[in-house]
Amino acid sequence: LPGSVLDVLLARLDCRTECFASPLNCRYAAFFGAFELDRLFGGAGSFFGDAPGAGPPLRGCFQANPPFCEGVVGALADRLDGLLTRTPHPLLFVVFVPVWPRSPGYARLVASGFLVRHVVVPQAEHFYAEGTQHRRARSFRVASFDT
């Protein structure tokens, strides 16, 4: 996502943690990465991990823009449902995933009883920061899917 989107989430929702970032592309000081090893570089470990001392997020606003892979989107749906079911505190996830109507993970996300709002942004109307921006002439590309 462009940094300006994360800036809006911070300003409007006090969103301060990314659930799927890396030490090389995180926008916020607090982030979960793909690996527990990301702890060595300032991360909180894997969003799916239960490493000692990590603990799941229990309150606040979190931005989740996972890799666009069915298995990860499905695991995200399960993880969010579990976290939201268990917490007694205010907890919000702003989730960015592709609109994949045939995806079981996407279906679980949009059917969740915790869903507050579902917004679809058409593919041609938004873009993403390239993960390999350091090797490309352009930092952004048009999205491949409605999101």
Side-chain angles (χ1 to χ4, degrees), residues 48-61:
F48 299 119
D50 289 318
L58 296 176
R59 66 173 64 218
C61 180

Side-chain angles (χ1 to χ4, degrees), residues 31-131:
F31 69 93
F32 289 90
F35 310 101
E36 288 299 324
L37 199 59
D38 286 337
R39 292 174 181 283
L40 298 175
F41 304 98
S46 168
F47 182 70
F48 299 119
D50 289 318
L58 296 176
R59 66 173 64 218
C61 180
F62 298 79
Q63 179 272 122
N65 180 23
F68 290 1
C69 166
E70 171 55 37
V72 177
V73 173
L76 172 65
D78 294 341
R79 181 72 162 158
L80 296 184
D81 186 63
L83 293 171
L84 290 163
T85 298
R86 288 193 314 261
T87 187
H89 304 291
L91 182 58
L92 174 68
F93 291 92
V94 180
V95 179
F96 298 89
V97 294
V99 175
W100 286 343
R102 294 187 179 126
S103 158
Y106 176 79
R108 287 199 312 277
L109 285 170
V110 298
S112 172
F114 295 107
L115 181 66
V116 174
R117 185 156 187 203
H118 180 217
V119 175
V120 175
V121 181
Q123 173 265 332
E125 295 180 17
H126 69 293
F127 54 92
Y128 281 89
E130 286 282 2

Side-chain angles (χ1 to χ4, degrees), residues 4-16 28 61 92 94 117:
S4 58
V5 172
L6 299 178
D7 292 344
V8 168
L9 295 177
L10 177 62
R12 299 224 175 156
L13 299 174
D14 197 33
C15 191
R16 297 179 176 276
Y28 303 143
C61 180
L92 174 68
V94 180
R117 185 156 187 203

